[in-house]
Amino acid sequence: MTSKTMPPAHNGEATKDRRSHSVHKIGGTSMSNIEAVFDNILIGGRKNEELYNRIFVVSAYGGITDLLLENKKTGEPGVFALYAGSENDWAWGDALSRVQSRMLEINADAFDDEADRKLADRFVQERVEGVRSCLIDLQRICGYGHFKLKEHLMTVREMISGIGEAHSAHNTMLLLRRRGVNAEFVDLSGWRESESMSLEDRIRDAFVDIDVQTVMPIVTGYTQAADGLMGIYGRGYSEVTFSAIACVTSAKEAVIHKEFHLSSADPRIVGADKVQPIGRTNYDVADQLSNMGMEAIHPRAAKGLRQQGIPLRIVNTFEPNHPGTVIDESWTPEEARIEIVTGLENAFEIEVFDQDMVGIPGSGEVALTAFRRFKVPLVSWSMNANTMSFYVSAPMKQVRRVIENIQKHQPGADIQTRKIDIVSAIGANLRAKNILGEAISAIEKSNLDLLATHVSGRGVDIQFAFPDGSYTEAVEILHQALIENTGYELIDAKKTAA
């Protein structure tokens, strides 16, 4: 079968046959403001053919995935967490009913047309009750000794999470059709499909008969794939789906719609009148932002776009006329400059001193293995003859496990830990001698106590470690010294976009 939109599979090199369409991702917070999404993103002032050549990947409505899995911030258990615990056979079922009620409330607010609302409600009922029946059957089967529930939990997590994106995508399709747009619901969740496919093959199969010049595809952010997106990417799966669709379809541009601009600092800290939207940067900066917990895009999702030379644009849902931020691998500013000051509060410094490490090749491997075992990602680390310093952002429980494991394998080591704040000055080109000096000078003039500094040879970020409780002041001081007092404005995306 020949696709109307699919180019041949790529080998990892940037394609020269770039298509005329763009791929967009709309986040959950934005999706919850339905009128803003329609007025500012999906339709706005567009008519006829202007509506098309755009593919939309949608997240679940705000809060739905938290109810389905667990609350991302508080850890409060959702349907999956209650089912996995199985302490109360009825608890997860009651939680699933609450999700269904919340989805029906969203439908009631979204649809003025009764026929559309009934279609939307039936869709929710089919998905929720289908999942309920499946979970009951699995629970019954695992009552026999030959079947273990824990062996199926990741599959259960994937199935449950897919309900949210299917709900929002189906609703969006119905609302668009009511407004006269030729929209199509593209369900990548694998609902009631028996064939297992790779992520890329499922996308190709779904788009094989879709002509994006005359159809607006509304796609689920969750994709059922043979390898399992949830197990690999966690809750960043919707951005991975978005990136894969852009790569498979050879999009000219990938666009993420957020509820804020990608700016030079958090406006709540330095003031909205002092921050500057970042007009243009590259994927190196995007990776560093992910390392600081401020994701422009999931780093695994960025990889495909980066390899195929597809620019990524980050725009504000509520400012549709603003060009936003363009992230482009081929671009590096000629002038060295800091673009953003951000960081991590409540991080930890773990210092391992061991005299026996001196002159021993690979002596840091014991500690690194401990971090890998307990899945604690490193923000940065350094090593000299007898001391290793690790900087991490993780729960104290995991940090303790890492320390105990290192101590077990290096009984002679003296291990010290303390809570710290990490502030990072990030830019696409920091290869200027004066930047670090200006930062240190500003810190010395303040009341801040600088504990450590880490400068990467790639010239993308400079990290500063401060005692716990210093974060807000440190961001203010560094933003003022490195951005506000420099006399330059960040690059305007309108002037530099390709």
Side-chain angles (χ1 to χ4, degrees), residues 332-367:
T332 301
E334 294 181 1
E335 183 182 354
R337 61 182 61 190
I338 298 296
E339 296 171 15
I340 186 168
V341 177
T342 186
L344 294 164
E345 293 184 84
N346 303 316
F348 291 93
E349 178 190 60
I350 303 169
E351 183 182 271
V352 181
F353 168 81
D354 190 345
Q355 187 66 43
D356 292 336
M357 293 194 306
V358 180
I360 305 300
S363 55
E365 188 58 33
V366 168

mmCIF file of all heavy atoms in Angstrom, residues 332-367:
data_model
loop_
_atom_site.group_PDB
_atom_site.id
_atom_site.type_symbol
_atom_site.label_atom_id
_atom_site.label_comp_id
_atom_site.label_asym_id
_atom_site.label_seq_id
_atom_site.Cartn_x
_atom_site.Cartn_y
_atom_site.Cartn_z
ATOM 1 N N THR A 332 23.932 28.416 15.891
ATOM 2 C CA THR A 332 24.722 28.815 17.048
ATOM 3 C C THR A 332 24.973 30.312 16.943
ATOM 4 O O THR A 332 25.407 30.784 15.886
ATOM 5 C CB THR A 332 26.075 28.073 17.103
ATOM 6 O OG1 THR A 332 25.831 26.664 17.154
ATOM 7 C CG2 THR A 332 26.874 28.491 18.316
ATOM 8 N N PRO A 333 24.696 31.063 18.012
ATOM 9 C CA PRO A 333 24.900 32.514 17.938
ATOM 10 C C PRO A 333 26.382 32.865 17.843
ATOM 11 O O PRO A 333 27.236 32.177 18.396
ATOM 12 C CB PRO A 333 24.298 33.016 19.255
ATOM 13 C CG PRO A 333 24.416 31.858 20.186
ATOM 14 C CD PRO A 333 24.219 30.643 19.331
ATOM 15 N N GLU A 334 26.676 33.918 17.117
ATOM 16 C CA GLU A 334 28.062 34.354 16.992
ATOM 17 C C GLU A 334 28.561 34.957 18.291
ATOM 18 O O GLU A 334 29.719 34.806 18.658
ATOM 19 C CB GLU A 334 28.176 35.383 15.861
ATOM 20 C CG GLU A 334 27.888 34.811 14.477
ATOM 21 C CD GLU A 334 28.046 35.858 13.396
ATOM 22 O OE1 GLU A 334 28.403 37.012 13.732
ATOM 23 O OE2 GLU A 334 27.805 35.535 12.216
ATOM 24 N N GLU A 335 27.689 35.655 19.001
ATOM 25 C CA GLU A 335 28.066 36.319 20.243
ATOM 26 C C GLU A 335 27.779 35.431 21.442
ATOM 27 O O GLU A 335 26.692 34.871 21.564
ATOM 28 C CB GLU A 335 27.276 37.634 20.377
ATOM 29 C CG GLU A 335 27.646 38.443 21.605
ATOM 30 C CD GLU A 335 26.819 39.709 21.718
ATOM 31 O OE1 GLU A 335 26.051 39.991 20.767
ATOM 32 O OE2 GLU A 335 26.927 40.398 22.748
ATOM 33 N N ALA A 336 28.760 35.284 22.319
ATOM 34 C CA ALA A 336 28.570 34.480 23.528
ATOM 35 C C ALA A 336 27.600 35.189 24.461
ATOM 36 O O ALA A 336 27.743 36.383 24.736
ATOM 37 C CB ALA A 336 29.907 34.263 24.232
ATOM 38 N N ARG A 337 26.589 34.451 24.933
ATOM 39 C CA ARG A 337 25.607 35.064 25.808
ATOM 40 C C ARG A 337 24.849 34.015 26.622
ATOM 41 O O ARG A 337 24.676 32.888 26.189
ATOM 42 C CB ARG A 337 24.613 35.891 25.001
ATOM 43 C CG ARG A 337 23.814 35.068 23.983
ATOM 44 C CD ARG A 337 22.873 35.951 23.176
ATOM 45 N NE ARG A 337 23.609 36.949 22.435
ATOM 46 C CZ ARG A 337 23.036 37.979 21.799
ATOM 47 N NH1 ARG A 337 21.734 38.125 21.841
ATOM 48 N NH2 ARG A 337 23.757 38.846 21.143
ATOM 49 N N ILE A 338 24.436 34.413 27.813
ATOM 50 C CA ILE A 338 23.555 33.588 28.628
ATOM 51 C C ILE A 338 22.133 33.780 28.127
ATOM 52 O O ILE A 338 21.693 34.901 27.888
ATOM 53 C CB ILE A 338 23.641 33.986 30.114
ATOM 54 C CG1 ILE A 338 25.065 33.778 30.650
ATOM 55 C CG2 ILE A 338 22.641 33.171 30.944
ATOM 56 C CD1 ILE A 338 25.539 32.354 30.657
ATOM 57 N N GLU A 339 21.394 32.682 27.962
ATOM 58 C CA GLU A 339 20.023 32.767 27.476
ATOM 59 C C GLU A 339 18.990 32.533 28.571
ATOM 60 O O GLU A 339 17.883 33.075 28.515
ATOM 61 C CB GLU A 339 19.808 31.758 26.339
ATOM 62 C CG GLU A 339 20.667 32.063 25.120
ATOM 63 C CD GLU A 339 20.623 30.970 24.079
ATOM 64 O OE1 GLU A 339 19.720 30.113 24.155
ATOM 65 O OE2 GLU A 339 21.487 30.952 23.199
ATOM 66 N N ILE A 340 19.345 31.719 29.552
ATOM 67 C CA ILE A 340 18.381 31.409 30.605
ATOM 68 C C ILE A 340 19.112 31.073 31.902
ATOM 69 O O ILE A 340 20.183 30.455 31.893
ATOM 70 C CB ILE A 340 17.452 30.240 30.187
ATOM 71 C CG1 ILE A 340 16.358 30.014 31.212
ATOM 72 C CG2 ILE A 340 18.239 28.968 29.932
ATOM 73 C CD1 ILE A 340 15.249 29.093 30.721
ATOM 74 N N VAL A 341 18.532 31.516 33.000
ATOM 75 C CA VAL A 341 19.040 31.173 34.336
ATOM 76 C C VAL A 341 17.945 30.379 35.037
ATOM 77 O O VAL A 341 16.841 30.874 35.254
ATOM 78 C CB VAL A 341 19.385 32.438 35.149
ATOM 79 C CG1 VAL A 341 19.832 32.048 36.558
ATOM 80 C CG2 VAL A 341 20.478 33.242 34.450
ATOM 81 N N THR A 342 18.250 29.146 35.372
ATOM 82 C CA THR A 342 17.274 28.272 36.018
ATOM 83 C C THR A 342 18.028 27.300 36.920
ATOM 84 O O THR A 342 19.232 27.440 37.101
ATOM 85 C CB THR A 342 16.430 27.525 34.964
ATOM 86 O OG1 THR A 342 15.395 26.779 35.619
ATOM 87 C CG2 THR A 342 17.274 26.570 34.132
ATOM 88 N N GLY A 343 17.342 26.321 37.465
ATOM 89 C CA GLY A 343 18.059 25.383 38.326
ATOM 90 C C GLY A 343 17.161 24.450 39.091
ATOM 91 O O GLY A 343 15.999 24.227 38.724
ATOM 92 N N LEU A 344 17.680 23.922 40.178
ATOM 93 C CA LEU A 344 16.991 22.917 40.982
ATOM 94 C C LEU A 344 17.076 23.279 42.456
ATOM 95 O O LEU A 344 18.170 23.491 42.985
ATOM 96 C CB LEU A 344 17.629 21.544 40.766
ATOM 97 C CG LEU A 344 17.503 20.931 39.369
ATOM 98 C CD1 LEU A 344 18.502 19.795 39.196
ATOM 99 C CD2 LEU A 344 16.085 20.435 39.131
ATOM 100 N N GLU A 345 15.917 23.334 43.096
ATOM 101 C CA GLU A 345 15.886 23.507 44.540
ATOM 102 C C GLU A 345 15.893 22.138 45.214
ATOM 103 O O GLU A 345 15.515 21.132 44.627
ATOM 104 C CB GLU A 345 14.630 24.259 44.958
ATOM 105 C CG GLU A 345 14.568 25.700 44.498
ATOM 106 C CD GLU A 345 13.351 26.409 45.037
ATOM 107 O OE1 GLU A 345 13.394 26.906 46.179
ATOM 108 O OE2 GLU A 345 12.342 26.478 44.299
ATOM 109 N N ASN A 346 16.341 22.118 46.467
ATOM 110 C CA ASN A 346 16.296 20.894 47.282
ATOM 111 C C ASN A 346 17.034 19.733 46.626
ATOM 112 O O ASN A 346 16.567 18.597 46.636
ATOM 113 C CB ASN A 346 14.843 20.498 47.567
ATOM 114 C CG ASN A 346 14.071 21.600 48.255
ATOM 115 O OD1 ASN A 346 14.569 22.225 49.186
ATOM 116 N ND2 ASN A 346 12.856 21.852 47.790
ATOM 117 N N ALA A 347 18.173 20.025 46.033
ATOM 118 C CA ALA A 347 19.030 18.975 45.484
ATOM 119 C C ALA A 347 19.990 18.496 46.579
ATOM 120 O O ALA A 347 19.945 18.971 47.725
ATOM 121 C CB ALA A 347 19.788 19.507 44.272
ATOM 122 N N PHE A 348 20.849 17.535 46.216
ATOM 123 C CA PHE A 348 21.808 16.998 47.184
ATOM 124 C C PHE A 348 23.214 16.959 46.590
ATOM 125 O O PHE A 348 23.388 16.666 45.405
ATOM 126 C CB PHE A 348 21.422 15.572 47.605
ATOM 127 C CG PHE A 348 20.180 15.490 48.438
ATOM 128 C CD1 PHE A 348 18.943 15.275 47.849
ATOM 129 C CD2 PHE A 348 20.249 15.644 49.817
ATOM 130 C CE1 PHE A 348 17.797 15.196 48.608
ATOM 131 C CE2 PHE A 348 19.094 15.574 50.594
ATOM 132 C CZ PHE A 348 17.861 15.349 49.992
ATOM 133 N N GLU A 349 24.171 17.260 47.446
ATOM 134 C CA GLU A 349 25.575 17.030 47.113
ATOM 135 C C GLU A 349 26.040 15.814 47.894
ATOM 136 O O GLU A 349 25.863 15.743 49.118
ATOM 137 C CB GLU A 349 26.427 18.250 47.496
ATOM 138 C CG GLU A 349 27.918 18.038 47.213
ATOM 139 C CD GLU A 349 28.767 19.146 47.806
ATOM 140 O OE1 GLU A 349 28.737 19.321 49.048
ATOM 141 O OE2 GLU A 349 29.452 19.844 47.039
ATOM 142 N N ILE A 350 26.612 14.842 47.213
ATOM 143 C CA ILE A 350 27.148 13.637 47.857
ATOM 144 C C ILE A 350 28.645 13.611 47.597
ATOM 145 O O ILE A 350 29.082 13.492 46.448
ATOM 146 C CB ILE A 350 26.489 12.365 47.299
ATOM 147 C CG1 ILE A 350 24.972 12.427 47.482
ATOM 148 C CG2 ILE A 350 27.060 11.115 47.988
ATOM 149 C CD1 ILE A 350 24.223 11.348 46.736
ATOM 150 N N GLU A 351 29.416 13.742 48.651
ATOM 151 C CA GLU A 351 30.873 13.781 48.520
ATOM 152 C C GLU A 351 31.469 12.473 49.053
ATOM 153 O O GLU A 351 31.218 12.080 50.189
ATOM 154 C CB GLU A 351 31.442 14.960 49.305
ATOM 155 C CG GLU A 351 32.946 15.129 49.165
ATOM 156 C CD GLU A 351 33.465 16.279 50.002
ATOM 157 O OE1 GLU A 351 33.498 17.415 49.499
ATOM 158 O OE2 GLU A 351 33.813 16.024 51.179
ATOM 159 N N VAL A 352 32.233 11.808 48.214
ATOM 160 C CA VAL A 352 32.851 10.525 48.579
ATOM 161 C C VAL A 352 34.367 10.712 48.596
ATOM 162 O O VAL A 352 35.000 10.915 47.548
ATOM 163 C CB VAL A 352 32.470 9.422 47.575
ATOM 164 C CG1 VAL A 352 33.108 8.090 47.989
ATOM 165 C CG2 VAL A 352 30.952 9.280 47.463
ATOM 166 N N PHE A 353 34.953 10.675 49.785
ATOM 167 C CA PHE A 353 36.416 10.765 49.936
ATOM 168 C C PHE A 353 36.964 9.379 50.256
ATOM 169 O O PHE A 353 36.491 8.724 51.189
ATOM 170 C CB PHE A 353 36.785 11.746 51.053
ATOM 171 C CG PHE A 353 38.233 11.677 51.452
ATOM 172 C CD1 PHE A 353 39.201 12.323 50.700
ATOM 173 C CD2 PHE A 353 38.625 10.945 52.573
ATOM 174 C CE1 PHE A 353 40.545 12.254 51.066
ATOM 175 C CE2 PHE A 353 39.960 10.865 52.946
ATOM 176 C CZ PHE A 353 40.926 11.527 52.181
ATOM 177 N N ASP A 354 37.938 8.947 49.480
ATOM 178 C CA ASP A 354 38.533 7.626 49.700
ATOM 179 C C ASP A 354 39.987 7.672 49.264
ATOM 180 O O ASP A 354 40.295 7.784 48.067
ATOM 181 C CB ASP A 354 37.778 6.563 48.913
ATOM 182 C CG ASP A 354 38.196 5.139 49.306
ATOM 183 O OD1 ASP A 354 39.248 4.995 49.959
ATOM 184 O OD2 ASP A 354 37.472 4.183 48.952
ATOM 185 N N GLN A 355 40.902 7.578 50.206
ATOM 186 C CA GLN A 355 42.333 7.640 49.915
ATOM 187 C C GLN A 355 42.777 6.503 48.995
ATOM 188 O O GLN A 355 43.723 6.653 48.215
ATOM 189 C CB GLN A 355 43.132 7.575 51.221
ATOM 190 C CG GLN A 355 44.627 7.792 51.062
ATOM 191 C CD GLN A 355 44.970 9.200 50.612
ATOM 192 O OE1 GLN A 355 44.388 10.160 51.123
ATOM 193 N NE2 GLN A 355 45.900 9.321 49.681
ATOM 194 N N ASP A 356 42.040 5.383 49.046
ATOM 195 C CA ASP A 356 42.430 4.229 48.235
ATOM 196 C C ASP A 356 42.142 4.423 46.748
ATOM 197 O O ASP A 356 42.533 3.596 45.921
ATOM 198 C CB ASP A 356 41.700 2.966 48.728
ATOM 199 C CG ASP A 356 42.170 2.526 50.102
ATOM 200 O OD1 ASP A 356 43.313 2.884 50.458
ATOM 201 O OD2 ASP A 356 41.403 1.851 50.802
ATOM 202 N N MET A 357 41.434 5.500 46.384
ATOM 203 C CA MET A 357 41.135 5.726 44.965
ATOM 204 C C MET A 357 42.324 6.287 44.198
ATOM 205 O O MET A 357 42.364 6.221 42.967
ATOM 206 C CB MET A 357 39.956 6.708 44.817
ATOM 207 C CG MET A 357 38.627 6.173 45.302
ATOM 208 S SD MET A 357 37.243 7.192 44.748
ATOM 209 C CE MET A 357 37.711 8.815 45.319
ATOM 210 N N VAL A 358 43.286 6.848 44.908
ATOM 211 C CA VAL A 358 44.387 7.549 44.252
ATOM 212 C C VAL A 358 45.137 6.616 43.306
ATOM 213 O O VAL A 358 45.635 5.559 43.726
ATOM 214 C CB VAL A 358 45.359 8.141 45.291
ATOM 215 C CG1 VAL A 358 46.508 8.869 44.595
ATOM 216 C CG2 VAL A 358 44.619 9.087 46.226
ATOM 217 N N GLY A 359 45.195 6.984 42.042
ATOM 218 C CA GLY A 359 45.968 6.236 41.050
ATOM 219 C C GLY A 359 45.323 4.950 40.575
ATOM 220 O O GLY A 359 45.945 4.196 39.828
ATOM 221 N N ILE A 360 44.085 4.663 40.993
ATOM 222 C CA ILE A 360 43.407 3.427 40.606
ATOM 223 C C ILE A 360 42.463 3.704 39.425
ATOM 224 O O ILE A 360 41.484 4.445 39.580
ATOM 225 C CB ILE A 360 42.608 2.823 41.777
ATOM 226 C CG1 ILE A 360 43.511 2.613 42.985
ATOM 227 C CG2 ILE A 360 41.953 1.507 41.354
ATOM 228 C CD1 ILE A 360 44.671 1.673 42.742
ATOM 229 N N PRO A 361 42.722 3.132 38.249
ATOM 230 C CA PRO A 361 41.841 3.348 37.105
ATOM 231 C C PRO A 361 40.428 2.826 37.376
ATOM 232 O O PRO A 361 40.262 1.741 37.958
ATOM 233 C CB PRO A 361 42.512 2.540 35.974
ATOM 234 C CG PRO A 361 43.933 2.394 36.402
ATOM 235 C CD PRO A 361 43.898 2.313 37.900
ATOM 236 N N GLY A 362 39.397 3.584 36.982
ATOM 237 C CA GLY A 362 38.015 3.145 37.145
ATOM 238 C C GLY A 362 37.518 3.149 38.566
ATOM 239 O O GLY A 362 36.520 2.494 38.881
ATOM 240 N N SER A 363 38.190 3.899 39.455
ATOM 241 C CA SER A 363 37.806 3.868 40.871
ATOM 242 C C SER A 363 36.437 4.506 41.122
ATOM 243 O O SER A 363 35.849 4.294 42.180
ATOM 244 C CB SER A 363 38.864 4.586 41.715
ATOM 245 O OG SER A 363 39.073 5.911 41.245
ATOM 246 N N GLY A 364 35.942 5.270 40.172
ATOM 247 C CA GLY A 364 34.631 5.878 40.358
ATOM 248 C C GLY A 364 33.472 4.991 39.955
ATOM 249 O O GLY A 364 32.304 5.344 40.170
ATOM 250 N N GLU A 365 33.778 3.814 39.415
ATOM 251 C CA GLU A 365 32.717 2.964 38.876
ATOM 252 C C GLU A 365 31.777 2.425 39.958
ATOM 253 O O GLU A 365 30.587 2.234 39.712
ATOM 254 C CB GLU A 365 33.326 1.795 38.101
ATOM 255 C CG GLU A 365 32.329 0.943 37.337
ATOM 256 C CD GLU A 365 31.523 1.749 36.336
ATOM 257 O OE1 GLU A 365 32.061 2.722 35.770
ATOM 258 O OE2 GLU A 365 30.344 1.411 36.121
ATOM 259 N N VAL A 366 32.304 2.187 41.160
ATOM 260 C CA VAL A 366 31.455 1.676 42.241
ATOM 261 C C VAL A 366 30.320 2.651 42.532
ATOM 262 O O VAL A 366 29.146 2.272 42.627
ATOM 263 C CB VAL A 366 32.287 1.439 43.519
ATOM 264 C CG1 VAL A 366 31.364 1.192 44.715
ATOM 265 C CG2 VAL A 366 33.215 0.246 43.337
ATOM 266 N N ALA A 367 30.665 3.920 42.668
ATOM 267 C CA ALA A 367 29.653 4.926 42.961
ATOM 268 C C ALA A 367 28.684 5.085 41.793
ATOM 269 O O ALA A 367 27.463 5.160 41.986
ATOM 270 C CB ALA A 367 30.320 6.266 43.272
#
